[in-house]
Amino acid sequence: MPSSPNLRIALITGAGSGIGRAVAQALAEAGWQLALLGRREAALRETAASLATPEALVLPADVTDEAQVSHAFAQLEARFCRLDLLFNNAGVSSRKVSVDELSVAEWRAVVDTNLTGSFLCARAAFALMKRQQPRGGRIVNNGSISAHVPRPFSAPYTATKHAITGLTRSLGLDGRAHDIAVGQIDIGNAATSMATPMQQGILQANGQIAVEPTVDVAEVARAVVYMASLPLGANVPFMTVMATAMPYIGRG
């Protein structure tokens, strides 16, 4: 169905839980119409049921699979005719062990999801944003504090998040000619299920185990909504949202 000229369309990857679900809820409250992409259809439908806007488009897909990503974006275009925001959020981590104990398969699983998945979704969004009328849109990549500094035993995750920064910069440069704005949000200790280890005690750079503070995931979602709300002539290239007292600012 053709979209209303005043309707803003957002696609969120990893939308079935955590940060993805919180951002979906915040965008819905701000009046966005949503497409929810992720591997678990049941979780996506739970997110859709929690939204304040009309029924969201549920897109079960694996971001590592080129054909599945292409099919999902074709469904999006058929439903809404355009895309105004892609939140590249899907991501995984690996076992917390020394790099010599990681298999190549474990390395590739993280790279395929965090980096190649973000590339595949950005590529599809870029193509649609270039040809739609009016043209243009925004891509927000979920980086991480790990895009700046690593935690112990996190080589695959940290490497991909550093690479996301390069992807953000490159897409931002290439998007200028097409009214496509690209930014990145780097998140530290958002209070989701993934942050449970921080609340129980997590390994620090000096070898100690320490409990770390967390920040309400709703604050992260508010930040993404702000980035998304800007006119395409303005952009937040990089934003860091973190628990104020987490040990990131300082020496480990």
Side-chain angles (χ1 to χ4, degrees):
M1 66 177 182
S3 63
S4 162
N6 297 319
L7 195 62
R8 296 170 297 174
I9 311 300
L11 186 152
I12 300 167
T13 71
S17 62
I19 291 169
R21 178 174 289 180
V23 169
Q25 292 167 342
L27 285 169
E29 290 175 2
W32 290 71
Q33 180 65 59
L34 300 180
L36 309 174
L37 190 151
R39 290 179 297 179
R40 299 174 297 142
E41 182 173 357
L44 294 176
R45 296 202 177 279
E46 289 178 4
T47 297
S50 73
L51 302 180
T53 53
E55 184 177 355
L57 176 62
V58 172
L59 299 170
D62 185 339
V63 296
T64 70
D65 187 303
E66 180 182 359
Q68 290 187 39
V69 170
S70 296
H71 180 62
F73 273 81
Q75 290 179 275
L76 169 79
E77 187 172 8
R79 169 79 173 269
F80 297 118
C81 300
R82 67 177 294 106
L83 177 65
D84 299 290
L85 171 68
L86 166 65
F87 181 41
N88 248 337
N89 170 68
V92 297
S93 59
S94 61
R95 293 182 299 135
K96 307 304 181 200
V97 296
S98 178
V99 67
D100 56 290
E101 298 177 41
L102 283 171
S103 68
V104 174
E106 289 174 291
W107 167 270
R108 285 178 174 159
V110 177
V111 172
D112 286 350
T113 300
N114 297 5
L115 182 55
T116 304
S118 293
F119 158 73
L120 289 173
C121 292
R123 183 180 69 159
F126 216 86
L128 177 53
M129 290 171 178
K130 282 174 65 175
R131 68 175 178 266
Q132 65 194 14
Q133 293 297 326
R135 72 176 188 179
R138 189 178 306 274
I139 298 170
V140 175
N141 294 322
N142 187 345
S144 171
I145 294 295
S146 292
H148 303 270
V149 294
R151 287 188 180 278
F153 305 131
S154 67
Y157 186 81
T158 299
T160 59
K161 293 304 184 177
H162 275 66
I164 288 295
T165 298
L167 182 67
T168 298
R169 293 183 185 279
S170 185
L171 292 176
L173 178 61
D174 296 346
R176 290 176 181 175
H178 309 287
D179 297 323
I180 299 172
V182 184
Q184 179 171 317
I185 184 164
D186 295 327
I187 302 163
N189 290 7
T192 68
S193 59
M194 290 184 66
T196 300
M198 286 77 168
Q199 298 165 332
Q200 297 174 342
I202 192 168
L203 182 64
Q204 303 295 303
N206 63 2
Q208 295 180 344
I209 302 295
V211 173
E212 294 186 10
T214 58
V215 63
D216 191 329
V217 70
E219 300 305 328
V220 175
R222 285 176 54 189
V224 175
V225 171
Y226 166 71
M227 295 170 76
S229 71
L230 293 172
L232 292 179
N235 188 38
V236 177
F238 294 94
M239 177 187 290
T240 300
V241 179
M242 54 175 270
T244 303
M246 72 175 292
Y248 165 59
I249 302 297
R251 294 179 181 235

